[in-house]
Structures are given as structure tokens and as C-alpha cells.
């Protein structure tokens, strides 16, 4: 009986391992080969929403830990831009994954308190789950 | 009496023999079922570890095709044609292009990834791949702003 349970558990574990590895490697391969376009990363989306919603903690958690002054400047900028612009739309334009790095580009529509509208792009470079470049 | 005992012993042996394969092996269908259960669990675990992006809380603009104005600029960049680039772009725009391509020294490839249009203003996005100062391959996102039939900005 013990052997049967052991066999059953081994079979389930082998299946689980295979499913996990195939999904991980397959997903990366599909992104690298651009078979179905580039999948937007969850981190890039959270970062963009963090910018538009003025969430300094979200932005800090998604960027590599910088020095004290840089982090203070980031908080200051977020505080100062609070309520100045209201987001109208956020569109994912697309991106590219190469090696461990991925680039994601967005178009944002904003409206100021005075009614002025802006249509601006933003490109994010994501590596190891962190936004390492924003332009 | 001895015949009865012998028959009982024979029956017991037969029962044991019949029960043995069931108790020691799982059978092909059960094994396959367990393997599929494991596979599904593995796929679910992987999806949990790398989740899909959360839903976009804002409206999205529809994507459009690659505008010909940015195609022309990309062609000049890939041809490494500085003279034609200088003739076709304002000085300020060239500075913006230089900043957008930073830190690339040489561009091998520019892949169009998507574009959107809003009231005649088009944002066309590319990923430029090339060589940076330390001769290492690097990629950057470059977005051209097209308006009135020409490229008017680069980010």
C-alpha cells in the first residue's frame, strides 16, 4: 500500500514539475520569438498605474533601491504632482523581451486642472521584476 | 476434511494472486490521470508565480499601423545615413533622437511595436537594439510623435 501511495505521489510530482518548467520556459521562448506579440509585464502595468495614481510606495517597491536623497526626491515629486493631472487613458503600445530584460511602451492621455490636455509616451525597461529605466 | 482445507488454501492463494497487481501498481489510466492532475497543478503554480497584469483601470485607445513618416526616419537610422538624417530633421529633433537612443552608439535593428492616434497626433513606438559604448548589445524604447505628415518629436 505504501508503495502505491509513493508511486502516485511521484507521478503527480513529475507532472507538476513538468507543467511548471514547460510553462516557464515556453512562456519565455514565446516572448523571445515574438510568436504572439509581447506580453505586457505585471510589474510594468503596476508601475504605470502607480505613476497615474500618485502612489510613491508602489513606485519605490518596483524600482531598485536607490540612495536616500533619490528616494526623497521621488516622494517629493509625487507629492507635488498630486491632483495636477487627471489621467484620461492608458494604452499599452507593445514591447520586446530580450534575455532577462523587457521594454514596454505606453501612451498616456492626461488633463490638467485648467483643462489642458497632454498625450505623452513612456517607455519602461524591466529587469528582475524592477523598472530599471524610465524615459 | 483435508480436501476442504486444501480448497480453502487454494482459494486464499488465488485471491492473493488476484489482489497483488492491484495493490502494487496503479494501472495505466490511474497513472495517466495522476500525471495530468500534476501537470495542471504545475501550470497553475507557474501562473500564480508569474501573474498576468492586473486589469487596466483606464480606457485604452485603439492601436493603429506603422505610420510612413516614422518608417522613413527608421530607414535612415538603420542605413547609418547621417547626411540624409540631418537634411530631413530639425536640429532640436536630432537632439531628441540622440537622447532617445542613448546609450546606443550604433543601431542594428528597430522593431515597430505599436502606435496610437489621438486627434491627428500619432505616437509610434519602436524598440531599438544596438551596441553601446562598451560594445555590449542593448535595447531602448523610442517613440516618434507624428503630426501633420511629419515627425515632430522623439521620446
Amino acid at each position: 500500500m505504501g508503495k502505491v501511495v509513493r508511486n502516485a505521489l511521484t507521478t503527480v510530482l513529475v507532472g507538476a514539475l513538468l507543467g511548471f518548467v514547460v510553462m516557464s520556459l515556453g512562456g519565455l521562448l514565446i516572448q523571445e520569438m515574438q510568436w504572439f506579440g509581447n506580453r505586457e509585464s505585471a510589474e510594468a502595468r503596476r508601475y504605470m498605474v502607480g505613476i497615474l495614481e500618485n502612489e510613491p510606495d508602489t513606485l519605490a517597491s518596483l524600482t531598485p533601491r536607490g540612495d536616500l536623497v533619490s528616494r526623497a526626491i521621488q516622494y517629493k515629486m509625487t507629492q507635488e504632482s498630486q491632483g495636477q493631472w487627471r489621467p484620461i487613458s492608458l494604452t499599452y503600445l507593445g514591447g520586446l523581451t530580450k534575455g532577462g530584460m523587457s521594454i514596454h511602451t505606453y501612451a498616456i492621455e492626461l488633463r490638467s486642472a485648467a483643462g489642458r490636455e497632454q498625450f505623452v509616451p513612456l517607455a519602461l525597461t524591466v529587469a528582475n521584476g524592477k523598472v530599471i529605466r524610465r524615459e | 476434511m483435508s480436501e476442504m482445507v486444501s480448497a480453502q488454501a487454494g482459494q486464499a492463494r488465488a485471491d492473493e494472486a488476484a489482489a497483488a497487481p492491484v495493490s502494487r501498481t496503479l494501472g495505466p489510466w490511474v497513472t495517466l490521470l495522476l500525471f495530468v492532475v500534476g501537470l495542471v497543478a504545475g501550470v497553475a503554480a507557474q501562473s500564480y508565480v508569474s501573474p498576468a497584469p492586473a486589469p487596466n483601470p483606464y480606457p485604452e485607445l485603439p492601436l493603429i499601423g506603422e505610420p510612413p513618416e516614422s518608417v522613413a526616419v527608421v530607414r535612415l537610422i538603420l542605413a547609418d545615413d547621417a547626411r540624409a538624417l540631418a537634411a530631413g530633421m530639425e536640429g532640436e529633433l536630432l537632439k531628441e533622437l540622440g537622447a532617445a537612443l542613448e546609450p546606443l552608439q550604433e543601431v542594428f535593428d528597430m522593431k515597430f511595436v505599436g502606435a496610437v492616434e489621438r486627434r491627428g497626433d500619432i505616437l509610434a513606438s519602436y524598440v531599438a537594439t544596438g551596441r553601446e559604448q562598451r560594445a555590449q548589445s542593448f535595447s531602448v524604447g523610442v517613440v516618434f510623435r507624428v503630426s501633420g505628415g511629419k515627425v515632430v518629436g522623439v521620446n
Side-chain angles (χ1 to χ4, degrees):
Chain A
M1 190 64 187
K3 194 177 174 188
V4 173
V5 173
R6 208 165 50 236
N7 283 349
L9 280 175
T10 307
T11 308
V12 172
L13 275 175
V14 168
L17 201 65
L18 191 75
F20 192 90
V21 170
V22 166
M23 275 294 284
S24 305
L25 294 181
L28 281 176
L29 192 69
I30 286 169
Q31 290 227 331
E32 289 263 346
M33 304 301 280
Q34 295 278 300
W35 286 334
F36 304 108
N38 196 72
R39 183 183 161 210
E40 182 182 1
S41 94
E43 291 84 13
R45 168 71 65 82
R46 272 180 58 215
Y47 189 88
M48 289 305 298
V49 173
I51 290 175
L52 298 179
E53 302 277 339
N54 280 314
E55 295 169 346
D57 293 323
T58 304
L59 300 182
S61 72
L62 289 169
T63 42
R65 194 175 161 84
D67 61 280
L68 175 72
V69 178
S70 305
R71 280 182 280 140
I73 290 171
Q74 174 82 57
Y75 275 97
K76 191 82 183 161
M77 279 167 61
T78 313
Q79 282 166 4
E80 283 175 358
S81 61
Q82 194 90 37
Q84 285 186 355
W85 292 95
R86 194 171 63 81
I88 303 170
S89 74
L90 170 66
T91 309
Y92 179 62
L93 293 174
L96 191 83
T97 302
K98 272 202 171 167
M101 217 168 67
S102 59
I103 293 163
H104 302 278
T105 55
Y106 293 86
I108 314 161
E109 273 184 289
L110 301 162
R111 185 178 292 133
S112 73
R116 199 161 66 89
E117 289 190 4
Q118 276 207 338
F119 185 43
V120 289
L122 201 63
L124 305 179
T125 304
V126 180
N128 299 321
K130 300 279 183 191
V131 176
I132 58 165
R133 189 178 155 115
R134 165 182 157 178
E135 55 212 318
Chain B
M1 182 68 180
S2 68
E3 276 176 12
M4 208 170 134
V5 170
S6 152
Q8 277 176 346
Q11 183 63 44
R13 271 199 300 276
D15 289 349
E16 200 177 299
V22 176
S23 64
R24 290 198 186 113
T25 63
L26 292 167
W29 290 109
V30 178
T31 306
L32 188 68
L33 183 73
L34 287 173
F35 183 74
V36 171
V37 167
L39 207 65
V40 171
V43 169
Q46 207 281 335
S47 306
Y48 181 74
V49 171
S50 55
N56 187 352
Y58 302 103
E60 291 181 34
L61 298 173
L63 294 177
I64 60 166
E66 189 175 12
E69 295 85 355
S70 60
V71 173
V73 176
V74 167
R75 211 169 276 154
L76 295 178
I77 294 169
L78 292 177
D80 204 27
D81 193 341
R83 189 185 296 269
L85 208 55
M89 292 178 97
E90 300 288 329
E92 200 56 41
L93 212 53
L94 282 174
K95 279 185 196 162
E96 286 181 12
L97 180 62
L101 289 172
E102 197 75 34
L104 300 182
Q105 300 288 308
E106 189 184 346
V107 179
F108 316 134
D109 183 41
M110 279 192 85
K111 185 180 162 36
F112 171 72
V113 292
V116 282
E117 191 260 339
R118 177 189 161 272
R119 295 179 202 159
D121 212 7
I122 297 171
L123 293 178
S125 170
Y126 293 81
V127 175
T129 303
R131 180 183 57 80
E132 43 106 288
Q133 269 180 336
R134 286 171 295 171
Q136 285 187 329
S137 177
F138 197 77
S139 296
V140 292
V142 178
V143 183
F144 292 102
R145 185 184 293 273
V146 178
S147 186
K150 59 181 184 176
V151 174
V152 296
V154 189
N155 286 89

